[in-house]
């Protein structure tokens, strides 16, 4: 094991730890969204933002260390692992990071899609309450457009 690998392994482990925390926060966010738990959602969002910040800081530590080795900050992680001797532990950590990062991206997309659907549902409910969406346009026998609704207007609270 080279001296560089001895320094790389703890950096990758720390990065994996912050990414694991992010994955857990995304899962908590998903559960709060699905279960309509506002307080849990607020807590999960705060935790997620802290996990993102911690992960970003850990990546910056690794990038600073890479710069000290003479590697470009935008070099792929695989190049860094190769530069440090292709240690089996580092290769395994690299693969775990890739897999977990992909999983976090998918979870974040899933949560974002769920948030959009919940926003649409809420917007629709508000439209009904405000009577802004009277339903689809209907056509009379003469072919002219008319708007008709059999529902009753909700009273103001």
């Amino acid at each position: 094991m080279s001296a560089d690998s001895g320094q790389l392994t703890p950096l990758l482990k720390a990065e994996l730890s912050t990414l694991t925390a992010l994955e857990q926060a995304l899962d908590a966010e998903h559960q709060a969204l699905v279960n309509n738990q506002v307080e849990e959602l607020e807590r999960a969002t705060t935790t997620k933002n802290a996990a993102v910040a911690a992960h970003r800081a850990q990546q910056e530590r690794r990038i600073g260390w890479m710069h000290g080795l003479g590697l470009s900050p935008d070099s792929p992680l695989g190049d860094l692992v190769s530069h440090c001797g292709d240690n089996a532990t580092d290769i395994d950590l690299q693969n775990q990071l890739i897999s977990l990062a992909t999983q976090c991206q998918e979870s974040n997309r899933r949560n974002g899609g769920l948030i959009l659907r919940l926003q649409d549902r809420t917007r629709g409910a508000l439209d009904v309450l405000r009577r802004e969406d009277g339903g689809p346009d209907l056509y009379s026998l003469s072919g002219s457009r008319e708007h008709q609704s059999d529902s009753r207007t909700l009273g103001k609270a």
Side-chain angles (χ1 to χ4, degrees), residues 29-51:
E29 180 183 58
H30 180 73
Q31 288 303 312
L33 286 166
V34 168
N35 295 323
N36 198 25
Q37 298 171 322
V38 176
E39 290 176 8
E40 289 298 318
L41 180 59
E42 290 174 357
R43 219 179 335 260
T45 301
T46 300
T47 302
K48 179 180 75 169
N49 290 338

Side-chain angles (χ1 to χ4, degrees), residues 33-153:
L33 286 166
V34 168
N35 295 323
N36 198 25
Q37 298 171 322
V38 176
E39 290 176 8
E40 289 298 318
L41 180 59
E42 290 174 357
R43 219 179 335 260
T45 301
T46 300
T47 302
K48 179 180 75 169
N49 290 338
V52 167
H55 185 64
R56 184 175 295 129
Q58 189 58 44
Q59 282 181 319
E60 288 174 5
R61 283 186 202 100
R62 176 179 46 86
I63 289 169
W65 184 72
M66 287 171 61
H67 182 69
L69 293 175
L71 295 171
S72 170
D74 51 351
S75 294
L77 186 55
D79 289 354
L80 176 61
V81 172
S82 292
H83 180 81
C84 293
D86 280 328
N87 178 303
T89 300
D90 294 341
I91 291 170
D92 182 52
L93 287 168
Q94 174 193 356
N95 290 332
Q96 288 180 52
L97 281 167
I98 291 168
S99 176
L100 193 54
T102 301
Q103 189 173 340
C104 285
Q105 286 177 331
E106 290 171 4
S107 294
N108 196 47
R109 278 191 207 104
R110 172 198 65 196
N111 291 356
L114 182 55
I115 289 168
L116 289 175
R117 286 190 302 278
L118 290 170
Q119 284 176 335
D120 286 344
R121 186 177 74 182
T122 301
R123 209 172 286 116
L126 287 172
D127 288 345
V128 167
L129 290 173
R130 293 181 187 144
R131 186 134 172 100
E132 291 177 359
D133 180 14
D137 288 328
L138 302 174
Y139 294 89
S140 69
L141 291 175
S142 65
S144 63
R145 238 180 3 182
E146 56 183 55
H147 188 72
Q148 191 175 35
S149 177
D150 294 327
S151 64
R152 297 183 182 180
T153 304

